[in-house]
Amino acid sequence: MDPQMQNTSLQRLQNVERRVVRVLELAGAVMEELASPSGPKKELVNSHCRELTQSMKDIQLTLREEIKSTCEYRPFEKCDYNARIANEICFQKLEYVLTQLDDLKQTADRYPSSD
């Protein structure tokens, strides 16, 4: 991930963090209003709830985009390490099989042919 993209991603996540704090403040304000001795003001509660709901949707959307963006980033995608290791393992297995076949041939050569 290039530094510029990483920087903007961090900035978006910082904005999400600020929005989460705002959502918590709104939830607290709604709770205070509902607990008011004079009774809750319907307009204020509705306003806070609408803002809270919209903020939650925005937060979800931003987090989904960030997760998707992060999942698309594959720093080792062009790396051939896995292929080289798999190739090396196959080579070692073939060498082992060849030594076993040589041993088998030597054992077979020790016994006379039944022809």
Side-chain angles (χ1 to χ4, degrees):
M1 190 179 281
D2 64 54
Q4 181 66 27
M5 187 174 165
Q6 193 173 16
N7 224 8
T8 57
S9 179
L10 288 175
Q11 289 170 343
R12 284 192 295 268
L13 290 174
Q14 285 175 338
N15 285 336
V16 166
E17 184 179 16
R18 283 188 214 103
R19 284 187 282 185
V20 167
V21 170
R22 176 65 183 146
V23 163
L24 293 173
E25 289 171 349
L26 285 168
V30 168
M31 289 173 59
E32 284 178 1
E33 189 60 36
L34 291 173
S36 172
S38 62
K41 297 177 185 160
K42 189 175 179 179
E43 272 183 38
L44 188 60
V45 171
N46 284 341
S47 171
H48 285 333
C49 286
R50 271 194 301 278
E51 187 179 346
L52 185 137
T53 304
Q54 186 58 49
S55 292
M56 292 294 287
K57 288 177 184 177
D58 294 343
I59 289 168
Q60 283 181 323
L61 180 65
T62 304
L63 288 177
R64 278 191 190 121
E65 289 171 356
E66 284 305 310
I67 290 169
K68 183 180 175 187
S69 164
T70 301
C71 290
E72 289 172 352
Y73 172 63
R74 294 182 179 92
F76 301 110
E77 189 172 73
K78 295 179 183 173
C79 178
D80 65 344
Y81 176 79
N82 288 338
R84 286 188 295 126
I85 291 300
N87 188 29
E88 184 66 29
I89 291 170
C90 287
F91 179 73
Q92 295 292 327
K93 287 178 179 179
L94 282 173
E95 280 186 330
Y96 178 74
V97 168
L98 287 174
T99 59
Q100 293 299 312
L101 286 174
D102 283 342
D103 290 346
L104 186 61
K105 184 176 182 333
Q106 288 175 3
T107 304
D109 287 345
R110 278 190 240 152
Y111 293 99
S113 169
S114 62
D115 291 337

